[in-house]
Amino acid sequence: MTADLGEAPTVPSLDVRGLAYAYPDGTQALYGVDLTIDRGERVALLGPNGAGKTTLVLHLNGILHGGLGEVRVGGLAVDPKDKRTLREIRRRVGIVFQDPDDQLFMPTVREDVAFGPANLGIRGAELDLRVRDALDRVGMLAVADRPPQHLSFGQRRRVAVATVLAMEPEILVLDEPSSNLDPASRRELAEILLSLDVTVLMVTHDLPYAAELCPRSVILSGGVIAADASTRDVLMDGDLLTSHRLELPFGFDPAATAR
Ligand code: ADP
């Protein structure tokens, strides 16, 4: 189709091929994972505890390595031995960890958001613009000069998203983005994430959040991809959910999920 339009085929944001990994103690966490995410997609990564989700995520920016297979981010292969490549990979893969306090450590919000791009050598007006833009995208521009620890948990999570957006990532990886949020903060974050024009991989146990935000869901279970389909199809398949210890909350109707 793209060839007919005369456009160059787009490189996927994420391309994981045959990724297998055992921890040093011998625990095999991944058994050959294949996952391709196209630019602009939003994909939920579902699975029970111990499925290998964290292990997979930590391979995306080279924190874990040494197993089999290959990870490419926007076409660039993760090569932990090459410092320059790894720097660029870490810019491209923006991981928002579950606890924003792991990510915010500067005296002000503005300095936290500026930290990453400043490390890339961005300075002056360009840096200011990056910071303003990232904070604006998460609705946090008004708190730029406040200390992060004076903000609510939901606000701190939004600032953590901004610290990653300021790096202009190829893919935003969110670890349990709805955890510990009150209903209003949960909805506000959903609206923000839906408004972003960025590829998203979202690790979550919150199946309604997956349904709201991600047209596609992947189930990782026992270190293998057990399903990769539209979120609606995944959530409609009760046997599939049960066999991977996934549960819809009481009263949630997966049939109401967008096709
Ligand atoms: P998830 O994020 O889906 O809960 P993990 O990736 O954390 O799953 O874990 C996958 C498997 O790897 C589990 O069996 C877990 O016990 C094991 N594991 C995780 N971290 C380590 C580690 N540092 N050393 C040994 N085994 C680990």
Side-chain angles (χ1 to χ4, degrees), residues 23-25 27-29 47-56:
Y23 282 96
D25 71 353
T27 306
Q28 188 80 33
N49 290 335
K53 302 180 298 295
T54 308
T55 307
L56 174 59

Side-chain angles (χ1 to χ4, degrees), residues 5-203:
L5 297 170
E7 290 169 8
T10 54
V11 176
S13 285
L14 182 68
D15 200 8
V16 177
R17 298 272 173 95
L19 188 65
Y21 181 78
Y23 282 96
D25 71 353
T27 306
Q28 188 80 33
L30 300 174
Y31 288 86
V33 167
D34 295 305
L35 177 62
T36 302
I37 301 181
D38 284 328
R39 197 159 279 175
E41 272 196 289
R42 285 192 307 275
V43 179
L45 181 60
L46 313 176
N49 290 335
K53 302 180 298 295
T54 308
T55 307
L56 174 59
V57 165
L58 295 178
H59 275 84
L60 304 186
N61 67 1
I63 293 178
L64 286 179
H65 54 85
L68 298 174
E70 191 180 50
V71 176
R72 284 180 178 272
V73 182
L76 182 65
V78 178
D79 178 359
K81 290 184 293 298
D82 178 352
K83 282 236 163 63
R84 273 186 59 193
T85 303
L86 203 55
R87 243 172 98 89
E88 172 59 9
I89 289 288
R90 291 194 174 154
R91 185 195 68 74
R92 291 186 186 198
V93 180
I95 303 182
V96 180
F97 293 103
Q98 214 181 114
D99 185 351
D101 298 335
D102 287 344
Q103 235 148 345
L104 306 176
F105 47 87
M106 297 296 277
T108 65
V109 164
R110 181 190 305 281
E111 287 164 282
D112 259 324
V113 179
F115 185 85
N119 257 340
L120 296 177
I122 296 167
R123 298 280 184 271
E126 193 188 344
L127 183 60
D128 290 346
L129 195 65
R130 282 266 189 133
V131 172
R132 285 184 66 83
D133 180 56
L135 284 172
D136 192 34
R137 288 167 83 189
V138 301
M140 289 283 102
L141 194 51
V143 301
D145 293 312
R146 293 182 54 188
Q149 63 271 26
H150 289 187
L151 305 179
S152 72
F153 187 86
Q155 289 175 317
R156 294 207 296 285
R157 181 160 289 153
R158 282 154 69 172
V159 172
V161 173
T163 64
V164 164
L165 290 178
M167 300 294 274
E168 300 187 345
E170 172 74 40
I171 182 165
L172 184 62
V173 180
L174 300 153
D175 186 11
E176 291 287 356
S178 61
S179 64
N180 300 315
L181 296 184
D182 61 36
S185 305
R186 184 178 179 281
R187 177 184 49 72
E188 284 160 7
L189 184 64
E191 285 166 3
I192 289 163
L193 294 174
L194 284 169
S195 75
L196 298 176
D197 179 19
V198 62
T199 310
V200 170
L201 178 64
M202 182 173 117
V203 179

